[in-house]
Amino acid sequence: MKMLSRLLKEHQAKQNERKELQERRRREAISAATCLTEALVDHLNVGVAQAYVNQRKLDHEVKTLQVQAGQFSKQTAQWINMVEGFNQALKVKRLSIDVNNTNPPLRCAHTRPVVLCLSPLPFTPKVQNVWIV
């Protein structure tokens, strides 16, 4: 009986050692898995944080670009209006110069009558005063 009792104690002692070894390995595996998970999450968070910073920079640049595009559009419209006004002034000035150079009597037509001949020359001319306004 002592022999059985000793064998039983040895068996129980070996089982306890195996359980302790298994428990220690399980704790080490859990610790290693936790470290790996934390490292992966930290690495992922760095990437997400960088993407967030980049997105904020892009949003700021988009807003700045929109403001600048609006200003450019307004400035372009002002330039177009100014050029159109300049063109109109040139047309008026050119018309004025053309009228003055081509027919000087038209300049003072509103101050004196213009004689129109209403019949052919071989016949007696009929003259009529006409005011040009």
Short mmCIF file of all heavy atoms in Angstrom, two decimals, residues 27-79:
data_model
loop_
_atom_site.label_atom_id
_atom_site.label_comp_id
_atom_site.label_asym_id
_atom_site.label_seq_id
_atom_site.Cartn_x
_atom_site.Cartn_y
_atom_site.Cartn_z
N ARG A 27 -0.31 31.92 -19.51
CA ARG A 27 -0.14 33.33 -19.13
C ARG A 27 0.85 34.03 -20.05
O ARG A 27 0.64 35.17 -20.48
CB ARG A 27 0.29 33.45 -17.68
CG ARG A 27 -0.84 33.24 -16.68
CD ARG A 27 -0.40 33.64 -15.28
NE ARG A 27 0.73 32.86 -14.80
CZ ARG A 27 0.67 31.82 -13.97
NH1 ARG A 27 -0.49 31.44 -13.49
NH2 ARG A 27 1.76 31.19 -13.61
N GLU A 28 1.96 33.35 -20.39
CA GLU A 28 2.95 33.93 -21.29
C GLU A 28 2.36 34.14 -22.69
O GLU A 28 2.61 35.17 -23.34
CB GLU A 28 4.19 33.03 -21.39
CG GLU A 28 5.05 33.03 -20.14
CD GLU A 28 6.17 31.99 -20.20
OE1 GLU A 28 6.27 31.25 -21.23
OE2 GLU A 28 6.95 31.92 -19.24
N ALA A 29 1.56 33.18 -23.15
CA ALA A 29 0.92 33.32 -24.46
C ALA A 29 -0.07 34.48 -24.46
O ALA A 29 -0.13 35.26 -25.42
CB ALA A 29 0.22 32.02 -24.85
N ILE A 30 -0.85 34.60 -23.38
CA ILE A 30 -1.80 35.71 -23.27
C ILE A 30 -1.04 37.04 -23.24
O ILE A 30 -1.44 38.00 -23.90
CB ILE A 30 -2.69 35.54 -22.03
CG1 ILE A 30 -3.67 34.38 -22.24
CG2 ILE A 30 -3.45 36.82 -21.71
CD1 ILE A 30 -4.48 34.02 -21.01
N SER A 31 0.05 37.08 -22.47
CA SER A 31 0.84 38.30 -22.40
C SER A 31 1.43 38.66 -23.77
O SER A 31 1.41 39.82 -24.19
CB SER A 31 1.97 38.12 -21.37
OG SER A 31 2.79 39.24 -21.34
N ALA A 32 1.96 37.67 -24.48
CA ALA A 32 2.53 37.91 -25.81
C ALA A 32 1.44 38.37 -26.78
O ALA A 32 1.65 39.30 -27.58
CB ALA A 32 3.23 36.67 -26.33
N ALA A 33 0.26 37.75 -26.73
CA ALA A 33 -0.84 38.13 -27.62
C ALA A 33 -1.31 39.56 -27.31
O ALA A 33 -1.62 40.34 -28.22
CB ALA A 33 -2.00 37.14 -27.48
N THR A 34 -1.34 39.89 -26.01
CA THR A 34 -1.73 41.25 -25.61
C THR A 34 -0.73 42.27 -26.13
O THR A 34 -1.11 43.32 -26.67
CB THR A 34 -1.85 41.33 -24.08
OG1 THR A 34 -2.81 40.38 -23.63
CG2 THR A 34 -2.29 42.71 -23.64
N CYS A 35 0.56 41.97 -25.99
CA CYS A 35 1.60 42.89 -26.49
C CYS A 35 1.48 43.05 -28.00
O CYS A 35 1.59 44.17 -28.53
CB CYS A 35 2.99 42.37 -26.13
SG CYS A 35 3.38 42.55 -24.38
N LEU A 36 1.27 41.94 -28.71
CA LEU A 36 1.12 42.00 -30.16
C LEU A 36 -0.10 42.84 -30.55
O LEU A 36 -0.03 43.69 -31.44
CB LEU A 36 1.01 40.59 -30.75
CG LEU A 36 0.75 40.53 -32.25
CD1 LEU A 36 1.93 41.11 -33.02
CD2 LEU A 36 0.45 39.10 -32.68
N THR A 37 -1.21 42.62 -29.87
CA THR A 37 -2.44 43.36 -30.17
C THR A 37 -2.23 44.86 -29.93
O THR A 37 -2.64 45.69 -30.74
CB THR A 37 -3.59 42.85 -29.30
OG1 THR A 37 -3.76 41.44 -29.54
CG2 THR A 37 -4.88 43.55 -29.61
N GLU A 38 -1.60 45.19 -28.81
CA GLU A 38 -1.34 46.60 -28.51
C GLU A 38 -0.43 47.23 -29.55
O GLU A 38 -0.64 48.37 -29.98
CB GLU A 38 -0.75 46.74 -27.11
CG GLU A 38 -1.74 46.49 -26.00
CD GLU A 38 -1.11 46.52 -24.61
OE1 GLU A 38 0.14 46.68 -24.52
OE2 GLU A 38 -1.85 46.36 -23.64
N ALA A 39 0.60 46.49 -29.96
CA ALA A 39 1.51 47.02 -30.98
C ALA A 39 0.78 47.24 -32.30
O ALA A 39 0.96 48.27 -32.97
CB ALA A 39 2.69 46.08 -31.18
N LEU A 40 -0.08 46.29 -32.68
CA LEU A 40 -0.84 46.44 -33.92
C LEU A 40 -1.81 47.62 -33.85
O LEU A 40 -1.93 48.41 -34.79
CB LEU A 40 -1.60 45.15 -34.24
CG LEU A 40 -0.75 43.96 -34.67
CD1 LEU A 40 -1.61 42.70 -34.78
CD2 LEU A 40 -0.06 44.24 -35.99
N VAL A 41 -2.49 47.76 -32.71
CA VAL A 41 -3.43 48.87 -32.55
C VAL A 41 -2.68 50.20 -32.57
O VAL A 41 -3.13 51.17 -33.20
CB VAL A 41 -4.25 48.70 -31.25
CG1 VAL A 41 -5.01 49.96 -30.90
CG2 VAL A 41 -5.21 47.53 -31.38
N ASP A 42 -1.54 50.26 -31.88
CA ASP A 42 -0.75 51.50 -31.90
C ASP A 42 -0.30 51.85 -33.32
O ASP A 42 -0.38 53.01 -33.74
CB ASP A 42 0.48 51.37 -30.99
CG ASP A 42 0.12 51.38 -29.51
OD1 ASP A 42 -1.02 51.79 -29.19
OD2 ASP A 42 0.97 50.97 -28.70
N HIS A 43 0.15 50.86 -34.06
CA HIS A 43 0.58 51.09 -35.43
C HIS A 43 -0.59 51.57 -36.29
O HIS A 43 -0.46 52.50 -37.08
CB HIS A 43 1.18 49.81 -36.02
CG HIS A 43 1.64 49.95 -37.43
ND1 HIS A 43 2.74 50.70 -37.77
CD2 HIS A 43 1.13 49.47 -38.59
CE1 HIS A 43 2.90 50.66 -39.09
NE2 HIS A 43 1.94 49.93 -39.60
N LEU A 44 -1.74 50.95 -36.11
CA LEU A 44 -2.94 51.34 -36.85
C LEU A 44 -3.37 52.75 -36.45
O LEU A 44 -3.73 53.56 -37.31
CB LEU A 44 -4.06 50.34 -36.59
CG LEU A 44 -5.37 50.59 -37.33
CD1 LEU A 44 -5.16 50.49 -38.83
CD2 LEU A 44 -6.43 49.60 -36.88
N ASN A 45 -3.31 53.06 -35.16
CA ASN A 45 -3.70 54.39 -34.70
C ASN A 45 -2.81 55.48 -35.27
O ASN A 45 -3.28 56.58 -35.58
CB ASN A 45 -3.70 54.45 -33.17
CG ASN A 45 -4.92 53.78 -32.58
OD1 ASN A 45 -5.91 53.55 -33.25
ND2 ASN A 45 -4.82 53.43 -31.31
N VAL A 46 -1.52 55.18 -35.41
CA VAL A 46 -0.61 56.17 -36.00
C VAL A 46 -1.04 56.46 -37.43
O VAL A 46 -1.10 57.62 -37.85
CB VAL A 46 0.85 55.66 -35.95
CG1 VAL A 46 1.76 56.51 -36.81
CG2 VAL A 46 1.35 55.64 -34.52
N GLY A 47 -1.38 55.44 -38.18
CA GLY A 47 -1.84 55.62 -39.55
C GLY A 47 -3.14 56.40 -39.61
O GLY A 47 -3.31 57.30 -40.45
N VAL A 48 -4.08 56.06 -38.72
CA VAL A 48 -5.36 56.77 -38.69
C VAL A 48 -5.15 58.23 -38.29
O VAL A 48 -5.74 59.13 -38.87
CB VAL A 48 -6.34 56.06 -37.72
CG1 VAL A 48 -7.57 56.91 -37.48
CG2 VAL A 48 -6.73 54.70 -38.27
N ALA A 49 -4.30 58.46 -37.31
CA ALA A 49 -4.03 59.83 -36.88
C ALA A 49 -3.40 60.63 -38.01
O ALA A 49 -3.77 61.80 -38.23
CB ALA A 49 -3.11 59.82 -35.65
N GLN A 50 -2.49 60.03 -38.74
CA GLN A 50 -1.86 60.73 -39.87
C GLN A 50 -2.89 61.02 -40.96
O GLN A 50 -2.90 62.12 -41.53
CB GLN A 50 -0.71 59.91 -40.44
CG GLN A 50 0.07 60.63 -41.50
CD GLN A 50 0.75 61.90 -40.99
OE1 GLN A 50 1.30 61.90 -39.90
NE2 GLN A 50 0.68 62.96 -41.76
N ALA A 51 -3.78 60.07 -41.22
CA ALA A 51 -4.84 60.30 -42.21
C ALA A 51 -5.76 61.43 -41.76
O ALA A 51 -6.19 62.26 -42.58
CB ALA A 51 -5.64 59.02 -42.43
N TYR A 52 -6.06 61.48 -40.47
CA TYR A 52 -6.92 62.55 -39.95
C TYR A 52 -6.25 63.92 -40.10
O TYR A 52 -6.88 64.89 -40.55
CB TYR A 52 -7.23 62.27 -38.47
CG TYR A 52 -8.08 63.33 -37.82
CD1 TYR A 52 -9.43 63.44 -38.10
CD2 TYR A 52 -7.51 64.24 -36.93
CE1 TYR A 52 -10.21 64.41 -37.51
CE2 TYR A 52 -8.28 65.22 -36.34
CZ TYR A 52 -9.63 65.30 -36.61
OH TYR A 52 -10.39 66.27 -36.02
N VAL A 53 -4.97 63.98 -39.78
CA VAL A 53 -4.22 65.24 -39.93
C VAL A 53 -4.20 65.66 -41.41
O VAL A 53 -4.42 66.83 -41.74
CB VAL A 53 -2.79 65.09 -39.37
CG1 VAL A 53 -1.91 66.26 -39.78
CG2 VAL A 53 -2.83 64.96 -37.85
N ASN A 54 -3.94 64.70 -42.29
CA ASN A 54 -3.91 65.00 -43.72
C ASN A 54 -5.28 65.49 -44.20
O ASN A 54 -5.36 66.41 -45.02
CB ASN A 54 -3.48 63.78 -44.53
CG ASN A 54 -2.02 63.44 -44.33
OD1 ASN A 54 -1.24 64.26 -43.85
ND2 ASN A 54 -1.64 62.23 -44.68
N GLN A 55 -6.34 64.86 -43.71
CA GLN A 55 -7.70 65.27 -44.12
C GLN A 55 -7.99 66.69 -43.65
O GLN A 55 -8.58 67.48 -44.39
CB GLN A 55 -8.74 64.29 -43.54
CG GLN A 55 -10.15 64.58 -44.00
CD GLN A 55 -10.33 64.41 -45.49
OE1 GLN A 55 -9.79 63.47 -46.08
NE2 GLN A 55 -11.08 65.29 -46.11
N ARG A 56 -7.58 67.03 -42.45
CA ARG A 56 -7.79 68.40 -41.96
C ARG A 56 -7.02 69.40 -42.81
O ARG A 56 -7.53 70.48 -43.13
CB ARG A 56 -7.37 68.51 -40.50
CG ARG A 56 -8.36 67.83 -39.56
CD ARG A 56 -8.04 68.09 -38.13
NE ARG A 56 -7.93 69.54 -37.93
CZ ARG A 56 -7.98 70.12 -36.77
NH1 ARG A 56 -8.16 69.40 -35.70
NH2 ARG A 56 -7.86 71.42 -36.65
N LYS A 57 -5.79 69.06 -43.18
CA LYS A 57 -5.00 69.95 -44.05
C LYS A 57 -5.69 70.12 -45.40
O LYS A 57 -5.77 71.23 -45.93
CB LYS A 57 -3.59 69.39 -44.25
CG LYS A 57 -2.69 69.52 -43.05
CD LYS A 57 -1.32 68.93 -43.35
CE LYS A 57 -0.40 69.00 -42.14
NZ LYS A 57 0.90 68.36 -42.40
N LEU A 58 -6.18 69.00 -45.96
CA LEU A 58 -6.87 69.08 -47.25
C LEU A 58 -8.14 69.94 -47.15
O LEU A 58 -8.41 70.74 -48.05
CB LEU A 58 -7.24 67.68 -47.74
CG LEU A 58 -6.10 66.86 -48.31
CD1 LEU A 58 -6.57 65.44 -48.62
CD2 LEU A 58 -5.55 67.50 -49.56
N ASP A 59 -8.90 69.76 -46.08
CA ASP A 59 -10.11 70.57 -45.90
C ASP A 59 -9.77 72.06 -45.84
O ASP A 59 -10.45 72.89 -46.45
CB ASP A 59 -10.86 70.16 -44.62
CG ASP A 59 -11.51 68.79 -44.75
OD1 ASP A 59 -11.67 68.30 -45.88
OD2 ASP A 59 -11.85 68.21 -43.69
N HIS A 60 -8.70 72.39 -45.12
CA HIS A 60 -8.28 73.78 -45.03
C HIS A 60 -7.85 74.32 -46.40
O HIS A 60 -8.23 75.43 -46.79
CB HIS A 60 -7.12 73.92 -44.03
CG HIS A 60 -6.57 75.30 -43.92
ND1 HIS A 60 -7.29 76.33 -43.34
CD2 HIS A 60 -5.40 75.83 -44.34
CE1 HIS A 60 -6.56 77.44 -43.42
NE2 HIS A 60 -5.42 77.15 -44.02
N GLU A 61 -7.11 73.52 -47.14
CA GLU A 61 -6.67 73.94 -48.48
C GLU A 61 -7.85 74.11 -49.42
O GLU A 61 -7.87 75.02 -50.24
CB GLU A 61 -5.67 72.92 -49.05
CG GLU A 61 -4.34 72.90 -48.36
CD GLU A 61 -3.57 74.20 -48.52
OE1 GLU A 61 -3.64 74.81 -49.59
OE2 GLU A 61 -2.90 74.60 -47.55
N VAL A 62 -8.85 73.22 -49.31
CA VAL A 62 -10.04 73.33 -50.16
C VAL A 62 -10.78 74.63 -49.87
O VAL A 62 -11.19 75.35 -50.80
CB VAL A 62 -10.97 72.11 -49.97
CG1 VAL A 62 -12.35 72.36 -50.53
CG2 VAL A 62 -10.36 70.88 -50.61
N LYS A 63 -10.94 74.96 -48.59
CA LYS A 63 -11.63 76.21 -48.23
C LYS A 63 -10.86 77.41 -48.76
O LYS A 63 -11.45 78.34 -49.30
CB LYS A 63 -11.79 76.30 -46.72
CG LYS A 63 -12.84 75.35 -46.17
CD LYS A 63 -12.95 75.43 -44.67
CE LYS A 63 -13.92 74.40 -44.13
NZ LYS A 63 -13.98 74.40 -42.68
N THR A 64 -9.54 77.39 -48.61
CA THR A 64 -8.71 78.49 -49.09
C THR A 64 -8.84 78.61 -50.61
O THR A 64 -9.00 79.72 -51.14
CB THR A 64 -7.24 78.26 -48.71
OG1 THR A 64 -7.14 78.12 -47.29
CG2 THR A 64 -6.35 79.39 -49.18
N LEU A 65 -8.81 77.49 -51.30
CA LEU A 65 -8.93 77.49 -52.75
C LEU A 65 -10.29 78.01 -53.20
O LEU A 65 -10.39 78.75 -54.18
CB LEU A 65 -8.69 76.08 -53.30
CG LEU A 65 -8.61 75.94 -54.81
CD1 LEU A 65 -7.47 76.79 -55.37
CD2 LEU A 65 -8.41 74.49 -55.19
N GLN A 66 -11.36 77.65 -52.47
CA GLN A 66 -12.69 78.15 -52.81
C GLN A 66 -12.76 79.66 -52.66
O GLN A 66 -13.33 80.35 -53.51
CB GLN A 66 -13.75 77.49 -51.92
CG GLN A 66 -14.04 76.06 -52.29
CD GLN A 66 -15.00 75.38 -51.33
OE1 GLN A 66 -15.13 75.80 -50.18
NE2 GLN A 66 -15.66 74.33 -51.78
N VAL A 67 -12.19 80.18 -51.59
CA VAL A 67 -12.18 81.64 -51.38
C VAL A 67 -11.40 82.32 -52.50
O VAL A 67 -11.85 83.32 -53.08
CB VAL A 67 -11.58 81.98 -49.99
CG1 VAL A 67 -11.29 83.46 -49.87
CG2 VAL A 67 -12.53 81.53 -48.88
N GLN A 68 -10.24 81.78 -52.82
CA GLN A 68 -9.42 82.37 -53.88
C GLN A 68 -10.13 82.29 -55.23
O GLN A 68 -10.04 83.22 -56.03
CB GLN A 68 -8.06 81.68 -53.94
CG GLN A 68 -7.17 82.01 -52.77
CD GLN A 68 -5.87 81.22 -52.78
OE1 GLN A 68 -5.72 80.26 -53.51
NE2 GLN A 68 -4.92 81.64 -51.95
N ALA A 69 -10.82 81.18 -55.49
CA ALA A 69 -11.55 81.05 -56.76
C ALA A 69 -12.67 82.08 -56.84
O ALA A 69 -12.91 82.66 -57.90
CB ALA A 69 -12.11 79.64 -56.90
N GLY A 70 -13.37 82.31 -55.73
CA GLY A 70 -14.41 83.34 -55.71
C GLY A 70 -13.84 84.72 -55.97
O GLY A 70 -14.41 85.51 -56.73
N GLN A 71 -12.71 85.02 -55.33
CA GLN A 71 -12.07 86.31 -55.55
C GLN A 71 -11.61 86.46 -57.00
O GLN A 71 -11.77 87.51 -57.62
CB GLN A 71 -10.87 86.48 -54.60
CG GLN A 71 -11.26 86.64 -53.15
CD GLN A 71 -10.06 86.59 -52.21
OE1 GLN A 71 -8.98 86.18 -52.61
NE2 GLN A 71 -10.26 87.00 -50.97
N PHE A 72 -11.05 85.39 -57.55
CA PHE A 72 -10.60 85.41 -58.93
C PHE A 72 -11.78 85.62 -59.87
O PHE A 72 -11.67 86.37 -60.84
CB PHE A 72 -9.87 84.11 -59.26
CG PHE A 72 -9.36 84.04 -60.67
CD1 PHE A 72 -8.29 84.82 -61.07
CD2 PHE A 72 -9.97 83.21 -61.59
CE1 PHE A 72 -7.82 84.76 -62.36
CE2 PHE A 72 -9.51 83.15 -62.89
CZ PHE A 72 -8.43 83.92 -63.28
N SER A 73 -12.89 84.97 -59.57
CA SER A 73 -14.09 85.13 -60.41
C SER A 73 -14.58 86.56 -60.38
O SER A 73 -14.91 87.14 -61.43
CB SER A 73 -15.18 84.18 -59.90
OG SER A 73 -16.36 84.37 -60.62
N LYS A 74 -14.63 87.17 -59.20
CA LYS A 74 -15.06 88.57 -59.09
C LYS A 74 -14.10 89.48 -59.84
O LYS A 74 -14.52 90.39 -60.55
CB LYS A 74 -15.15 88.99 -57.63
CG LYS A 74 -16.31 88.39 -56.88
CD LYS A 74 -16.30 88.80 -55.43
CE LYS A 74 -17.41 88.10 -54.66
NZ LYS A 74 -17.36 88.43 -53.23
N GLN A 75 -12.81 89.25 -59.67
CA GLN A 75 -11.81 90.08 -60.33
C GLN A 75 -11.91 89.92 -61.84
O GLN A 75 -11.81 90.91 -62.58
CB GLN A 75 -10.41 89.69 -59.85
CG GLN A 75 -9.33 90.63 -60.33
CD GLN A 75 -7.97 90.24 -59.78
OE1 GLN A 75 -7.71 89.08 -59.50
NE2 GLN A 75 -7.10 91.22 -59.65
N THR A 76 -12.14 88.70 -62.31
CA THR A 76 -12.30 88.46 -63.74
C THR A 76 -13.51 89.20 -64.28
O THR A 76 -13.45 89.81 -65.35
CB THR A 76 -12.42 86.95 -64.01
OG1 THR A 76 -11.26 86.29 -63.49
CG2 THR A 76 -12.53 86.66 -65.48
N ALA A 77 -14.63 89.14 -63.54
CA ALA A 77 -15.83 89.86 -63.97
C ALA A 77 -15.56 91.36 -64.03
O ALA A 77 -16.01 92.04 -64.97
CB ALA A 77 -16.99 89.56 -63.02
N GLN A 78 -14.83 91.90 -63.06
CA GLN A 78 -14.50 93.33 -63.08
C GLN A 78 -13.63 93.67 -64.29
O GLN A 78 -13.85 94.69 -64.95
CB GLN A 78 -13.77 93.72 -61.79
CG GLN A 78 -14.66 93.72 -60.57
CD GLN A 78 -13.87 93.95 -59.29
OE1 GLN A 78 -12.64 93.87 -59.28
NE2 GLN A 78 -14.57 94.24 -58.20
N TRP A 79 -12.66 92.81 -64.59
CA TRP A 79 -11.80 93.04 -65.75
C TRP A 79 -12.62 93.01 -67.03
O TRP A 79 -12.43 93.83 -67.93
CB TRP A 79 -10.69 91.99 -65.81
CG TRP A 79 -9.49 92.36 -65.00
CD1 TRP A 79 -9.25 92.03 -63.70
CD2 TRP A 79 -8.38 93.14 -65.43
NE1 TRP A 79 -8.07 92.57 -63.30
CE2 TRP A 79 -7.49 93.25 -64.34
CE3 TRP A 79 -8.04 93.76 -66.61
CZ2 TRP A 79 -6.30 93.95 -64.41
CZ3 TRP A 79 -6.85 94.45 -66.69
CH2 TRP A 79 -6.00 94.55 -65.59
#
